[in-house]
Amino acid sequence: MMRPFTIIVLVLFTIPVLSFSQQLPFSTANVTLPQLAYSACGWGDFDQDGDLDLALTGAEGNTPVTKIFRNDHGNFTDIQANLLALHFGSLEWGDYDNDGDLDLLVTGMDSQGNSHTVIFDNINGTFIDSGISFPGIADGQASWGDFNNDGNPDILLAGNSMVRIYENNGDRQFAIINSTLPSMESAMCSWNDYNNDGQSDVLVCGSMGGGIFSSLFRNDHGVFTEVNISPEPFTGLYSGQARWADLDNDGDQDLVIAGMDLNMDGYFLLYRNDGNDHFTKFDANTVRLLNPSFDLGDFNGDGLLDIILMGTVSGCGGTAVTILKQNEGFMNFLDVSSLLPGYKQGGVTWGDYNNDGFTDLLFTGLDAFDVPKTGLYLNTLGDTLLFTVNTPPSAPQGLNATMDAGKAILHWNSAADTQTPKGSLSYNIRIGSLPDSQEILSPLAMLYSGSRKIAAPGNASADTSWVITGIPPGTYYFSVQCIDNGFKAGVFSGPCMFTYAPVGIDETKVSGLSLSPNPCHDRLYFNDGTISTDDFRVRIINANGNNCHESVNPKVVDVSAWPNGIYLVHATNSRETKSFKFIKN
């Protein structure tokens, strides 16, 4: 990730900024947290109480630490998780086992200089080492992403002279996949569906074979092919950060990338996604920063993603700098006055930690005097003429599903939001075998309230469709929520039922099973005909996805008291499945 630099001269460096308003947008929060450098940080509601907790990894003085702090109404408590102490690494929340709670993926270096990559499994709020073995990564990154659309979060590892994808088999086991991804050091990586084809593509950046490269690989059903970017390749950068986001609210994902080139010159670049592998470059440098970190979030509630950037000033004695870039639209960013102190050799993240509707900031790193520091800054401008309280978007409607070539394609209509334009909203899906379950695809959100467990866009990006494949044949339910640019999440839509029957499996294969009469008024009769001796289980569901009846080997079901409408009958045995529709009149 980030490497320390020897400080030779301390120079007071002031970035010229424009006046933002008479009232500054941030104030220091009175919280107690470890003071960390060479660090990473991430918000995540691990205890599912509706507020964002905090994970930190880095060096407290000369001592590596990895800690989780519970947020109790704005007060942080160290949960004493006893995690492997690391620094020079990365961390990211996810739900690798789809059990509905947040697990933690951490990379870094221990006090003896050994590199590690660890999944810490959340078991009812207690975190334990999952025991799953991965190559160790330091000065690099690990990230969750579902490359094969089976609902199980896979892992992309970059750094320590490797870039690898590990497929999550859904049984707490991971297997490396064959790919042509290059090996890199001082690496950064990111998943994203840059071409809106429903598949997660891969961006990797870093040092490789004497050169510095930033390369995008298109995912074609698990085969990764390097994209020929026009009109020119992405600038090769390392020891920084790369993120995808819809900066211009046009419905596709643009690229934000910061880092250093081969000559150790600092860059901060924006690439507008124009479609068809064409990207227009914008140089957003205010000052050349080494080892930069940044994050994106809508701090003023105008529906446009702003940027917070930190790093080391090149050629000025290594002074730490923080820059707030306000998105003015059309890929224009204005540096505004915030009076936030400078940070370097650390991490920064947006998140509404006190649930007041305004996005706050957390920093870790060295300050201008090379002292490790962790700072939380509250967004305190309130509902002024320039700032608007962020309100949740509406729930998506029009859910439906179709089968095509062994894939279930889930569809929904666009939602609406008061602050974020429709084209820039992201969507978050949950899939389960019941109307209120998520064991197939976890949304990292509370199903009933919609409260988001992480400060991030949804798992479906800005798409209004999603592909799911590779799951067992059967009947499933999906729901969708909308997330705006301030990471405010709306409630989930009602569940939509779909039957998954991949190529080579006939969903009408339960031999001889039939039902009558159809339409039916009072009693529905089942005739098993030549069905095998296996027991078959019948479940009947109404059009709203509610379970109306479930039994084994039924002969007759009394439906006389049921409301009129269309019902789905789903029958399974140990080998076969079959689905019917019947009308109650």
Side-chain angles (χ1 to χ4, degrees), residues 312-327:
T312 305
V313 176
S314 175
C316 288
T319 298
V321 168
T322 296
I323 304 171
L324 176 61
K325 292 180 174 289
Q326 181 177 328
N327 190 342

Side-chain angles (χ1 to χ4, degrees), residues 17 19 65-66 110 127 157 215 283 292 312 319 343 353 360 429 491 508 569:
V17 296
S19 176
V65 298
T66 304
D110 64 21
F127 288 82
L157 288 180
S215 301
D283 189 340
T312 305
T319 298
Y343 285 86
Y353 110 100
D360 310 307
I429 310 172
V491 297
T508 63
V569 180

